[in-house]
């Protein structure tokens, strides 16, 4: 028993000794390191802090520079986009201006074409009017010539016109007054036997269309009647004289006061006997004893 205790004590002592030796080695190692790396002073700590701050500032500056470059790139890109937008607007304005100019030119060309067409139409109308006037004058000249050998209209047609004249006589009342002539209203007419009186005194107004001094001495012209006197012409006037009324001034009345020999285009007011020229079938004022310009 005693021997066992002695061994236990010896074991404990040995274990304690080993722990002390190990602790001594660790302490020695620590002390050697402490001497190798002396402790940091306050200046060292401040320097290290300043260096870290400076490094961070430089890093921040680099980051800021990069961000700035990116921002400049973005601004440049934005400027490019803005320039492109402005360029697009300028192109749009140019296109609009070009379109407006094209529209103006088109309208101008259209107006020019319309003006040319209008002028051509006017010239064509004038040409047609001239041709119509020439044809009308030729027709009137033939009608006014009245050759002595011209055959009268058929008797049947004369009778039909006479029947129509009877109706006109009953519906129409002759004028009275100082512009009318008393007595034989057909006095002075070379073809008195061919004239049937419709009214012993009748007035009319209108435009002189064609004039001619006849072989028998009568001064004859056609009168384009004003609307209110259109009734004085009949169907034969419409057929042979374009609806104009035949007016004749016999030689005894030519040169008298109040009797002019009008020219073509004159506007006149006439008084005379309203008659039918039976061989021709048309209506006339013949003789005409008063002719004045209006």
């Amino acid at each position: 028993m005693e021997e066992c205790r002695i061994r236990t004590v010896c074991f404990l002592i040995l274990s304690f000794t080993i722990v002390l030796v190990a602790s001594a080695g660790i302490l020695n190692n620590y002390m050697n390191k402490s001497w190798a790396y002396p402790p940091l002073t306050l200046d060292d700590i401040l320097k290290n802090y300043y260096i870290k701050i400076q490094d961070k500032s430089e890093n921040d500056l680099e980051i800021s520079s990069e961000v700035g470059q990116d921002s400049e790139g973005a601004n440049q890109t934005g400027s490019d986009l803005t320039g492109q937008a402005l360029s697009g607007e300028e192109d749009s304005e140019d296109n609009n201006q070009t379109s407006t100019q094209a529209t103006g030119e088109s309208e101008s060309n259209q107006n020019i074409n319309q003006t040319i067409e209008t002028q051509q139409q006017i010239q064509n109308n004038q040409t047609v009017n001239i041709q119509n006037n020439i044809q009308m004058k030729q027709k009137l000249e033939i009608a006014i010539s009245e050759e002595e050998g011209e055959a009268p209209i058929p008797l049947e047609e004369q009778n039909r016109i006479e029947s129509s004249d009877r109706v006109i006589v009953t519906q129409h009342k002759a004028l009275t007054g100082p512009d009318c002539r008393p007595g034989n209203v057909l006095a002075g007419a070379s073809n008195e036997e061919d004239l049937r009186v419709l009214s012993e005194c009748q007035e009319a107004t209108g435009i002189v269309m064609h004039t001619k001094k006849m072989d028998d001495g009568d001064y004859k012209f056609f009168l384009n009647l004003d609307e209110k006197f259109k009734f004085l012409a009949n169907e034969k006037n419409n057929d042979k004289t374009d609806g104009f009324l035949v007016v004749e001034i016999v030689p005894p009345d030519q040169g008298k006061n109040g009797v002019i020999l009008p020219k073509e285009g004159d506007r006149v007011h006439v008084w005379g006997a309203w008659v039918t020229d039976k061989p021709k079938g048309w209506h006339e004022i013949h003789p005409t004893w008063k002719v004045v310009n209006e």
Side-chain angles (χ1 to χ4, degrees), residues 120-148:
Q120 289 177 346
Q121 185 64 37
I122 293 173
Q123 291 177 354
N124 292 336
N125 291 338
Q126 290 175 346
T127 301
V128 171
N129 290 334
I130 291 172
Q131 292 175 348
N132 290 338
N133 288 335
I134 292 173
Q135 293 175 357
M136 181 190 67
K137 288 179 178 296
Q138 290 174 346
K139 182 177 180 179
L140 295 178
E141 180 62 28
I142 293 172
I144 207 171
S145 295
E146 296 179 7
E147 296 180 2
E148 292 295 333

Side-chain angles (χ1 to χ4, degrees), residues 175 202-206 223 225-226 228-230 232 245 247 268-272 285 290 292 294:
L175 298 177
Q202 177 63 50
E203 65 175 334
T205 59
L223 188 64
L225 295 163
D226 291 339
K228 66 178 181 177
F229 293 111
K230 292 290 186 182
L232 297 176
L245 184 68
V247 180
V268 296
H269 195 161
V270 304
W271 285 262
I285 292 183
K290 185 173 182 180
V292 295
E294 280 199 329

